[in-house]
Amino acid sequence: MSSSDASRPDPLDVDRESRAQAAIDRFVSLWGEMASTWGINRTMARIHALLYCAEQPLNTDEIMEQLDVSRGNANMNLRSLVDWNLVDKTARPDSRKDYYRAETDVWQITARIIEERQHREVHPVRSRLQECADLLVEDNESAEDRPEPERVLHRRFANLIDLMKVLEGVSEALLPLVRNNNVDQIEQLLDVALQLGEPENDASPSDSS
């Protein structure tokens, strides 16, 4: 084999690399699109997707180049990912730059997203709803002492508050199971929920005389 042949890349390796990059590009795009429907920053999701696929931690410059985002945008979203505990900041002895690596355990990722969204969204909403309800009653006063329109409005606020409490309870019950990758118990809970949601079979009509 000539020296030129030896230095030439293997077509199979090139093909594998291009296919892998195409898959990563598609996943990064998909993750960004999905995140936007969940109310999560699209760039934050794309950075997380890129780090999730990366074989080694990436620095800010590498992330900027691969995703074509500005330094400010990259830094802001990396800080958010670190705050969400979805990404860790690390260092390399041969570089002064900060490097970032993503959590790759999908169960831990799910648990952290549930926990953060509950902390950032469900808890504040319940607190603000309670403030709305409290505006309708004075101290040491019951909602039942108020005029009928205000009692009705207070009950509607209370119903929303109860819903938020249920959502918090569901999240708190699921979190330990998700963290421990307890698929069997999660599936059992889902089966129970599906059974409860099924309409009861109508009783057979009685024969007419």
Side-chain angles (χ1 to χ4, degrees):
M1 180 183 294
S2 67
S3 60
S4 60
D5 290 337
S7 62
R8 188 177 302 158
D10 187 332
L12 290 178
D13 291 338
V14 173
D15 184 58
R16 291 191 192 99
E17 183 178 347
S18 62
R19 282 187 293 165
Q21 188 59 54
I24 292 172
D25 291 344
R26 183 169 298 187
F27 174 68
V28 168
S29 177
L30 169 66
W31 213 237
E33 292 171 5
M34 289 176 59
S36 62
T37 64
W38 300 336
I40 297 175
N41 184 294
R42 183 173 180 270
T43 301
M44 176 178 165
R46 292 177 67 231
I47 292 174
H48 177 255
L50 178 65
L51 293 174
Y52 179 83
C53 295
E55 294 183 10
Q56 300 294 333
L58 302 178
N59 61 44
T60 306
D61 291 334
E62 292 169 330
I63 293 169
M64 291 167 52
E65 179 181 355
Q66 294 192 48
L67 297 183
D68 191 24
V69 296
S70 67
R71 184 173 302 276
N73 201 2
N75 286 333
M76 178 183 65
N77 285 288
L78 283 166
R79 282 195 299 270
S80 295
L81 286 166
V82 171
D83 289 343
W84 281 57
N85 292 317
L86 292 172
V87 164
D88 291 327
K89 184 190 294 187
T90 185
R92 281 181 18 184
D94 59 341
S95 175
R96 299 177 60 184
K97 296 180 179 180
D98 290 327
Y99 284 77
Y100 299 88
R101 62 187 173 195
E103 170 67 66
T104 56
D105 184 324
V106 294
W107 293 95
Q108 294 303 317
I109 292 172
T110 303
R112 291 172 185 177
I113 290 175
I114 291 173
E115 193 170 37
E116 284 298 319
R117 295 206 65 172
Q118 178 172 310
H119 173 71
R120 295 168 183 265
E121 298 174 22
V122 179
H123 287 178
V125 168
R126 178 164 69 87
S127 177
R128 298 294 294 274
L129 285 170
Q130 188 62 59
E131 291 175 3
C132 294
D134 291 344
L135 287 174
L136 297 171
V137 294
E138 301 288 344
D139 293 339
N140 301 320
E141 183 183 38
S142 169
E144 297 305 314
D145 298 330
R146 305 303 300 166
E148 176 65 16
E150 294 182 17
R151 292 201 302 270
V152 171
L153 185 57
H154 191 276
R155 282 196 297 272
R156 292 179 181 177
F157 288 147
N159 289 338
L160 288 172
I161 293 168
D162 288 342
L163 174 61
M164 294 296 107
K165 290 179 180 177
V166 168
L167 292 176
E168 289 175 346
V170 170
S171 296
E172 289 169 3
L174 276 177
L175 271 174
L177 303 180
V178 172
R179 286 197 186 101
N180 296 324
N181 191 4
N182 200 323
V183 179
D184 291 339
Q185 288 194 30
I186 293 173
E187 288 180 345
Q188 290 173 13
L189 287 175
L190 290 174
D191 287 341
V192 171
L194 289 172
Q195 291 172 11
L196 291 174
E198 292 177 354
E200 296 182 2
N201 293 329
D202 294 333
S204 300
S206 57
D207 295 334
S208 56
S209 56

